[in-house]
Amino acid sequence: MGRDARRLLFEAFGVVLLIRAGLWLLPFRVVHRAVAARAARAPRGANRPMDQIVWAVETAARRVPRASCLTQALAGTVMLAAHGHEATLRVGVARNDHGEMRAHAWIESEGRTVLGDPRAGTFVALPPLAFPR
């Protein structure tokens, strides 16, 4: 792994850890507002490929306990915005085999799902939680 990849992974680990702690300690609306504010201050113009950022977030999340799909989607939003990419947080709901509700969060960018693929047709997407750019 090269120096740039290690730096990106270290950045992603910090963001995932911070988001996870935030979701544990604070209401979602507070964390969402903080992520939206950070995304709004992000620079324009991509400086890293989107797939590298997604890789870093997914890899870091495997090492942070209870880094759920929501944690990853929020962290991915911060990271993508910080590196100049558009990101829309999506949340969907579905019923499991026992009729219980379950939810899933993912990120869409440039018209496609880039992190947390919801398995097409499984989740009914709620209106997007857009982050201003």
mmCIF file of all heavy atoms in Angstrom, residues 32-42 131-132:
data_model
loop_
_atom_site.group_PDB
_atom_site.id
_atom_site.type_symbol
_atom_site.label_atom_id
_atom_site.label_comp_id
_atom_site.label_asym_id
_atom_site.label_seq_id
_atom_site.Cartn_x
_atom_site.Cartn_y
_atom_site.Cartn_z
ATOM 1 N N HIS A 32 -26.261 14.777 11.555
ATOM 2 C CA HIS A 32 -26.602 15.087 10.165
ATOM 3 C C HIS A 32 -26.295 16.546 9.857
ATOM 4 O O HIS A 32 -25.729 16.876 8.813
ATOM 5 C CB HIS A 32 -28.076 14.768 9.901
ATOM 6 C CG HIS A 32 -28.495 15.026 8.500
ATOM 7 N ND1 HIS A 32 -29.157 16.172 8.131
ATOM 8 C CD2 HIS A 32 -28.334 14.303 7.368
ATOM 9 C CE1 HIS A 32 -29.395 16.141 6.843
ATOM 10 N NE2 HIS A 32 -28.907 15.017 6.350
ATOM 11 N N ARG A 33 -26.660 17.439 10.755
ATOM 12 C CA ARG A 33 -26.396 18.871 10.563
ATOM 13 C C ARG A 33 -24.895 19.141 10.485
ATOM 14 O O ARG A 33 -24.442 19.928 9.650
ATOM 15 C CB ARG A 33 -27.021 19.674 11.698
ATOM 16 C CG ARG A 33 -27.179 21.135 11.371
ATOM 17 C CD ARG A 33 -27.950 21.876 12.438
ATOM 18 N NE ARG A 33 -29.116 21.097 12.846
ATOM 19 C CZ ARG A 33 -29.663 21.148 14.054
ATOM 20 N NH1 ARG A 33 -29.189 21.939 14.970
ATOM 21 N NH2 ARG A 33 -30.708 20.415 14.351
ATOM 22 N N ALA A 34 -24.108 18.481 11.335
ATOM 23 C CA ALA A 34 -22.653 18.656 11.308
ATOM 24 C C ALA A 34 -22.056 18.139 10.000
ATOM 25 O O ALA A 34 -21.172 18.779 9.415
ATOM 26 C CB ALA A 34 -22.017 17.948 12.504
ATOM 27 N N VAL A 35 -22.537 16.993 9.539
ATOM 28 C CA VAL A 35 -22.057 16.439 8.268
ATOM 29 C C VAL A 35 -22.442 17.375 7.121
ATOM 30 O O VAL A 35 -21.627 17.651 6.231
ATOM 31 C CB VAL A 35 -22.614 15.009 8.048
ATOM 32 C CG1 VAL A 35 -22.347 14.536 6.632
ATOM 33 C CG2 VAL A 35 -21.992 14.045 9.051
ATOM 34 N N ALA A 36 -23.671 17.888 7.142
ATOM 35 C CA ALA A 36 -24.115 18.814 6.089
ATOM 36 C C ALA A 36 -23.266 20.080 6.086
ATOM 37 O O ALA A 36 -22.884 20.570 5.015
ATOM 38 C CB ALA A 36 -25.587 19.158 6.288
ATOM 39 N N ALA A 37 -22.956 20.612 7.262
ATOM 40 C CA ALA A 37 -22.123 21.825 7.344
ATOM 41 C C ALA A 37 -20.728 21.553 6.801
ATOM 42 O O ALA A 37 -20.160 22.368 6.064
ATOM 43 C CB ALA A 37 -22.052 22.314 8.785
ATOM 44 N N ARG A 38 -20.162 20.397 7.119
ATOM 45 C CA ARG A 38 -18.823 20.033 6.625
ATOM 46 C C ARG A 38 -18.847 19.858 5.113
ATOM 47 O O ARG A 38 -17.941 20.297 4.408
ATOM 48 C CB ARG A 38 -18.345 18.753 7.308
ATOM 49 C CG ARG A 38 -17.025 18.225 6.794
ATOM 50 C CD ARG A 38 -15.896 19.208 7.080
ATOM 51 N NE ARG A 38 -14.659 18.728 6.546
ATOM 52 C CZ ARG A 38 -14.109 19.166 5.412
ATOM 53 N NH1 ARG A 38 -14.686 20.105 4.704
ATOM 54 N NH2 ARG A 38 -12.960 18.673 4.989
ATOM 55 N N ALA A 39 -19.890 19.226 4.614
ATOM 56 C CA ALA A 39 -20.002 19.021 3.167
ATOM 57 C C ALA A 39 -20.135 20.356 2.438
ATOM 58 O O ALA A 39 -19.602 20.527 1.343
ATOM 59 C CB ALA A 39 -21.192 18.116 2.855
ATOM 60 N N ALA A 40 -20.840 21.304 3.041
ATOM 61 C CA ALA A 40 -21.041 22.611 2.409
ATOM 62 C C ALA A 40 -19.728 23.394 2.302
ATOM 63 O O ALA A 40 -19.555 24.200 1.394
ATOM 64 C CB ALA A 40 -22.069 23.417 3.191
ATOM 65 N N ARG A 41 -18.805 23.160 3.218
ATOM 66 C CA ARG A 41 -17.518 23.871 3.211
ATOM 67 C C ARG A 41 -16.465 23.185 2.350
ATOM 68 O O ARG A 41 -15.347 23.682 2.226
ATOM 69 C CB ARG A 41 -16.970 23.980 4.637
ATOM 70 C CG ARG A 41 -17.760 24.880 5.537
ATOM 71 C CD ARG A 41 -17.039 25.138 6.857
ATOM 72 N NE ARG A 41 -16.445 23.962 7.463
ATOM 73 C CZ ARG A 41 -17.028 23.190 8.390
ATOM 74 N NH1 ARG A 41 -18.256 23.476 8.792
ATOM 75 N NH2 ARG A 41 -16.405 22.170 8.905
ATOM 76 N N ALA A 42 -16.802 22.063 1.775
ATOM 77 C CA ALA A 42 -15.823 21.282 1.016
ATOM 78 C C ALA A 42 -15.445 21.982 -0.283
ATOM 79 O O ALA A 42 -16.238 22.723 -0.856
ATOM 80 C CB ALA A 42 -16.382 19.895 0.723
ATOM 81 N N PHE A 131 -27.163 16.786 0.881
ATOM 82 C CA PHE A 131 -26.196 17.641 1.557
ATOM 83 C C PHE A 131 -25.875 18.778 0.610
ATOM 84 O O PHE A 131 -25.526 18.547 -0.544
ATOM 85 C CB PHE A 131 -24.942 16.856 1.904
ATOM 86 C CG PHE A 131 -25.188 15.819 2.960
ATOM 87 C CD1 PHE A 131 -25.577 14.549 2.619
ATOM 88 C CD2 PHE A 131 -25.070 16.144 4.296
ATOM 89 C CE1 PHE A 131 -25.833 13.594 3.593
ATOM 90 C CE2 PHE A 131 -25.322 15.205 5.275
ATOM 91 C CZ PHE A 131 -25.691 13.934 4.922
ATOM 92 N N PRO A 132 -25.992 20.001 1.057
ATOM 93 C CA PRO A 132 -25.724 21.143 0.166
ATOM 94 C C PRO A 132 -24.280 21.165 -0.306
ATOM 95 O O PRO A 132 -23.385 20.783 0.425
ATOM 96 C CB PRO A 132 -26.043 22.347 1.043
ATOM 97 C CG PRO A 132 -25.958 21.875 2.441
ATOM 98 C CD PRO A 132 -26.262 20.408 2.417
#
